[in-house]
Amino acid sequence: AHNPHAATKMGTVKAVQSNGLLIVMSDGDQETVPLSTKTTYFHADDHTATRSELTKGMRVVVKMSSDGKSAASVKMSTPRKKK
């Protein structure tokens, strides 16, 4: 049985919305992840980040809150620049 609570979602940011984050999963599905005032933000190296640093094209790992209603934390990493 799949437990939707405390799930982890991974994908690429397609849009940063006023109340959430639209991400494209690795399988191509899109999902809007609700953000709340309790959501915490981190860079891939675990340094604290802010919501304003989220931009389209970033890779994110989102851990959902225990009630599954919003993101508990968002870990972001900038896409590697093409050489």
Side-chain angles (χ1 to χ4, degrees):
H2 182 70
N3 179 5
H5 301 305
T8 299
K9 302 177 187 298
M10 298 168 73
T12 304
V13 176
K14 182 167 185 186
V16 180
Q17 301 161 332
S18 57
N19 59 348
L21 204 54
L22 179 61
I23 59 177
V24 180
M25 311 298 202
S26 52
D27 62 5
D29 282 356
Q30 294 186 19
E31 185 169 340
T32 300
V33 177
L35 301 173
S36 77
T37 53
K38 295 190 182 87
T39 305
T40 55
Y41 303 91
F42 299 96
H43 290 291
D45 61 6
D46 286 326
H47 281 74
T48 305
T50 60
R51 178 178 169 159
S52 61
E53 292 176 77
L54 282 168
T55 56
K56 182 178 175 180
M58 280 185 153
R59 301 274 307 151
V60 288
V61 178
V62 179
K63 285 195 174 25
M64 298 303 289
S65 59
S66 53
D67 64 9
K69 290 192 170 88
S70 64
S73 70
V74 177
K75 189 175 270 199
M76 60 186 86
S77 58
T78 31
R80 288 182 182 80
K81 302 261 187 299
K82 291 185 175 72
K83 292 202 161 57

